[in-house]
Amino acid sequence: MPESSERKSKKDLIRQIFSKKMFICLCLGFASGMPLFVVLTLISAYLRKEGVNLKEIGLFSLASFPYTWKFLWAPLVDRYNPFKLGRRRGWIILSQIAVFLSIFFVGQFNAQSCTIVIAIITLILSFSSATQDIVIDAYRREILEDNELGLGTSLFIASSRASSLIPAGLSLILADFISWQAVFFITAAFMIPCLILSIFLKEPDTIVCAKNLQQAIIEPFREFVNRAGLKSMLLIILFVFCYKLGDSMATALATPFYIDLKYDLLTIGLVAKNCGIWSMIIGGILGGIIMLKIGINKALWIFGFGQLVTILGFAFLAHIGAGRETAPSVWYLAIVLIFEYLGAGLGTAAFVSFISAKTSKAYAATQFALLTSLSAVPRTFCNATTGYIVEFCGWENFFYICTVLAVPGMLLLLKVAPYFEKNEDKNPS
């Protein structure tokens, strides 16, 4: 008997989920995420444990600026082919070697007497990691078909989040039993399997390559304007600014909020952090699978609405915790966080997939780096105002404001991703 269309559809879905491309996305996601958490978590823990003062440690946050400004050298990644290893594969291998060496060398210097040297190495690590992100984002865009973008991006994000369990978990535990030099070597060694995979990666078919650096800088912007139109491009940029703004602001002061609700640090560590990371990972994977069935446009609407509504869970916590001498039930905290970060994971999966779909395969590195950088800049500046807003109006009203700030991004979907319309330019060349 002929195979039913429903059964064939399920087989195709399973085949896509467990395909070689999705395995590559998982591995590259881990390689992309781990260096960032080394910069954000492990190095600061090392410095503090070795007696470096908080003012100097605080200045280390400046070392992460390459992640925001990576679009400045993205045209170099689009233009040049290092060591003739392939325009994508070559940069992946080169950046991963630099990441491995940077993580290793951080632990070889005394934290108190060589703080400046460690700062320079950390900056090199951030630059190498940001460069790796540029080329991996481009590579992922080039190897995935249109209908695979949602799942591939979701698995990439989930793996990137899960990678934090190494520098922010395993490495910190090991530091209680072995030397910091050994800790940084073991942490760096987690890049080796990714590097071996990268050596055997197949270079994607490149549609066009810029003939010179000037063309590599100008053509990505010209192509984007010509394809989308100036008005559409401006709407997309505005949408990229707004879609995650409310959710990002709501979680910017999460830990101080939990402390103000009278939760102790043990509860915050065990419940808040674990519920957050695992819910985001699950949300990202679920989002990818769902997008295989409904597409990116519908996912942006459905996941965006869920992302918006779950912010109100924080307002609920603030309301029941106001004026109490003891913290609300830990179950309230866990449930609110599970839904909040599940919604955030789903929303992020759809958002990054949308950005991927709007980039040209020919100029994926530059266009993707620009859009992701733009999405980070407004959140950085707006998040800086959150403390002042809370001081002025209190926690509960602050979360209502965050909910309202999530609305413009949803309204812009009417123009950039109509619910019943397929994204016709999502496979630009």
Side-chain angles (χ1 to χ4, degrees):
M1 292 180 63
E3 188 175 28
S4 68
S5 59
E6 183 179 351
R7 188 174 179 182
K8 186 176 183 298
S9 178
K10 287 181 179 179
K11 282 188 175 182
D12 290 340
L13 179 62
I14 293 172
R15 193 178 296 114
Q16 281 182 304
I17 293 173
F18 293 99
S19 68
K20 179 182 176 181
K21 290 181 182 179
M22 298 308 156
F23 174 74
I24 291 173
C25 287
L26 277 171
C27 294
L28 293 180
F30 183 91
S32 175
M34 201 193 73
L36 173 61
F37 292 106
V38 170
V39 173
L40 296 179
T41 305
L42 184 60
I43 292 177
S44 60
Y46 168 52
L47 295 172
R48 190 56 179 159
K49 276 291 187 179
E50 294 298 297
V52 178
N53 67 63
L54 290 175
K55 290 181 180 178
E56 290 181 315
I57 295 174
L59 292 175
F60 268 71
S61 63
L62 296 175
S64 63
F65 86 90
Y67 290 100
T68 301
W69 298 97
K70 60 187 178 182
F71 65 91
L72 293 176
W73 64 93
L76 297 174
V77 176
D78 259 339
R79 167 66 183 91
Y80 294 108
N81 180 354
F83 306 112
K84 305 301 179 182
L85 295 172
R87 196 159 59 109
R88 299 309 184 207
R89 192 167 66 100
W91 281 108
I92 292 176
I93 293 171
L94 187 63
S95 60
Q96 287 181 349
I97 291 173
V99 165
F100 171 83
L101 293 174
S102 299
I103 296 174
F104 171 74
F105 278 117
V106 167
Q108 308 309 307
F109 292 90
N110 182 276
Q112 287 193 328
S113 61
C114 302
T115 307
I116 294 178
V117 175
I118 293 175
I120 293 171
I121 296 173
T122 303
L123 182 60
I124 295 172
L125 172 59
S126 294
F127 182 82
S128 304
S129 176
T131 302
Q132 181 188 217
D133 288 350
I134 293 171
V135 64
I136 283 178
D137 287 336
Y139 183 82
R140 191 178 70 250
R141 175 67 183 97
E142 289 174 333
I143 66 169
L144 295 177
E145 300 297 332
D146 296 341
N147 64 330
E148 297 172 329
L149 276 176
L151 179 60
T153 301
S154 300
L155 292 176
F156 177 86
I157 293 171
S159 181
S160 178
R161 300 282 184 186
S163 70
S164 68
L165 296 174
I166 304 303
L170 176 63
S171 299
L172 295 180
I173 294 171
L174 289 175
D176 277 340
F177 302 96
I178 59 178
S179 68
W180 279 105
Q181 289 87 346
V183 167
F184 278 99
F185 172 74
I186 292 171
T187 305
F190 276 92
M191 290 295 298
I192 294 176
C194 302
L195 178 59
I196 293 173
L197 171 71
S198 299
I199 292 172
F200 292 99
L201 285 178
K202 180 183 177 182
E203 183 72 8
D205 295 328
T206 303
I207 296 172
V208 67
C209 178
K211 295 181 176 60
N212 52 59
L213 186 57
Q214 181 180 1
Q215 190 181 66
I217 295 171
I218 296 173
E219 283 303 313
F221 301 96
R222 179 183 295 167
E223 188 278 339
F224 193 66
V225 173
N226 290 341
R227 169 166 47 89
L230 182 60
K231 180 180 177 181
S232 179
M233 184 192 74
L234 293 175
L235 283 171
I236 290 171
I237 291 174
L238 185 60
F239 170 75
V240 168
F241 268 65
C242 296
Y243 187 70
K244 297 286 294 179
L245 181 58
D247 183 71
S248 175
M249 288 183 64
T251 56
L253 295 174
T255 300
F257 172 57
Y258 307 145
I259 292 172
D260 284 358
L261 289 179
K262 309 291 192 304
Y263 290 109
D264 58 65
L265 294 178
L266 179 62
T267 300
I268 294 172
L270 291 177
V271 178
K273 302 306 180 184
N274 280 294
C275 285
I277 186 171
W278 289 113
S279 295
M280 284 202 78
I281 290 172
I282 293 170
I285 294 173
L286 280 177
I289 295 173
I290 294 170
M291 275 188 279
L292 279 177
K293 302 294 289 183
I294 68 174
I296 295 173
N297 280 22
K298 290 181 179 179
L300 284 167
W301 281 90
I302 297 170
F303 299 164
F305 181 74
Q307 180 179 264
L308 182 152
V309 170
T310 52
I311 297 174
L312 295 174
F314 284 128
F316 168 74
L317 271 180
H319 180 76
I320 64 173
R324 291 173 58 109
E325 294 184 2
T326 59
S329 169
V330 70
W331 289 106
Y332 287 144
L333 177 65
I335 292 170
V336 166
L337 289 179
I338 287 171
F339 280 102
E340 158 61 24
Y341 284 99
L342 185 66
L346 290 167
T348 300
F351 179 63
V352 179
S353 298
F354 171 82
I355 290 177
S356 299
K358 290 298 178 182
T359 59
S360 163
K361 286 187 176 184
Y363 306 104
T366 302
Q367 292 179 357
F368 203 102
L370 177 64
L371 290 176
T372 52
S373 295
L374 286 172
S375 71
V377 171
R379 294 201 306 271
T380 300
F381 286 105
C382 291
N383 284 0
T385 68
T386 53
Y388 295 96
I389 298 173
V390 173
E391 287 290 330
F392 177 75
C393 64
W395 284 112
E396 184 175 353
N397 289 328
F398 167 70
F399 291 121
Y400 291 138
I401 291 171
C402 291
T403 305
V404 172
L405 288 175
V407 173
M410 294 297 297
L411 294 177
L412 283 167
L413 286 173
L414 292 167
K415 292 293 186 180
V416 301
Y419 186 83
F420 291 106
E421 180 182 301
K422 290 187 177 181
N423 198 353
E424 293 182 357
D425 72 337
K426 71 180 178 179
N427 186 25
S429 59

